[in-house]
Amino acid sequence: MIKLNQKKFKENVAFLDKLVHVKPQVDFKEMEEHYKNHLKLIMFMTNFPESYKKKKYYDPLIATTELPKNIQIKKSKCFLDVHNVTENRLLGRMMIEVYDSIVPKTAGNFKMLCQQRPDGLDYSGTQIFRIVPGLFCLAGDVEYSIGLGGISAINGEQYFDDENYLLGHNAPGTVIT
């Protein structure tokens, strides 16, 4: 059992009491004005000003997109486990959100490829075949594993037409399928 040094304990309690009751010497109105001015500078200089706006939920793809008024955003999540095969260890899990209501066929195809399937037409075992640090990585060729394949999980068809171009690939973390 640890024996407390009663003198040190009383000193710490007294110090904490003083600390809790200290009145701030900062003028909060001045601090708020200072923050607003710096935020204006940040918004002027950043590539992604939307990320600094105060919102409950921010989606960089939707914020900069003109979507039809009648569309309701429906998203679902899937994941990919990334392994280092040379060291035989799990590097981590990428959680990916797909826009089911905007690109339903593309989203469905991607989710099917993320699931391990008996026919082997899935992302398990595929390689990350190109990495450009700070920009992008290319992966997920289920046909050849080098970026030349084009089979989809939907009926094993070769390619399918783009559904639309409503969402741009203009935000960090964007997945292109």
Side-chain angles (χ1 to χ4, degrees):
M1 187 167 155
I2 299 173
K3 184 178 178 184
L4 290 176
N5 183 329
Q6 292 298 322
K7 183 179 176 190
K8 287 289 182 195
F9 180 75
K10 286 180 184 178
E11 287 175 4
N12 286 341
V13 169
F15 177 71
L16 178 63
D17 187 53
K18 289 178 187 176
L19 188 62
V20 168
H21 293 94
V22 169
K23 294 202 182 339
Q25 296 181 351
V26 175
D27 179 5
F28 287 103
K29 287 181 184 177
E30 182 182 321
M31 193 167 80
E32 183 69 23
E33 191 63 36
H34 182 76
Y35 168 78
K36 286 179 185 177
N37 289 335
H38 278 333
L39 189 60
K40 286 177 188 174
L41 286 171
I42 289 170
M43 298 288 272
F44 178 71
M45 293 186 304
T46 185
N47 290 333
F48 301 101
E50 301 86 13
S51 60
Y52 290 96
K53 293 179 182 173
K54 289 182 182 177
K55 290 184 179 181
K56 259 187 178 176
Y57 175 76
Y58 173 70
D59 187 330
L61 293 177
I62 300 300
T64 59
T65 305
E66 291 288 328
L67 292 173
K69 298 261 189 263
N70 61 346
I71 204 162
Q72 281 201 317
I73 305 300
K74 181 179 175 255
K75 297 188 278 187
S76 57
K77 292 182 181 177
C78 51
F79 65 88
L80 295 172
D81 287 332
V82 180
H83 294 267
N84 180 337
V85 291
T86 57
E87 296 177 8
N88 195 22
R89 67 182 177 103
L90 177 68
L91 295 177
R93 175 171 282 182
M94 278 195 293
M95 294 299 296
I96 301 164
E97 216 170 34
V98 293
Y99 292 86
D100 298 300
S101 57
I102 298 175
V103 284
K105 191 171 183 179
T106 305
N109 182 57
F110 186 76
K111 289 189 293 186
M112 286 172 73
L113 289 170
C114 286
Q115 298 170 356
Q116 210 161 17
R117 298 164 35 125
D119 62 2
L121 193 57
D122 56 48
Y123 286 136
S124 63
T126 62
Q127 299 175 18
I128 296 175
F129 51 86
R130 183 166 183 218
I131 298 173
V132 177
L135 290 176
F136 63 86
C137 69
L138 298 176
D141 179 353
V142 297
E143 197 171 4
Y144 303 118
S145 288
I146 57 171
L148 298 174
I151 290 182
S152 74
I154 302 170
N155 299 328
E157 59 187 53
Q158 189 81 13
Y159 307 105
F160 55 84
D161 292 336
D162 291 327
E163 293 180 81
N164 61 56
Y165 294 100
L166 292 174
L167 297 178
H169 300 101
N170 58 358
T174 304
V175 175
I176 301 170
T177 60

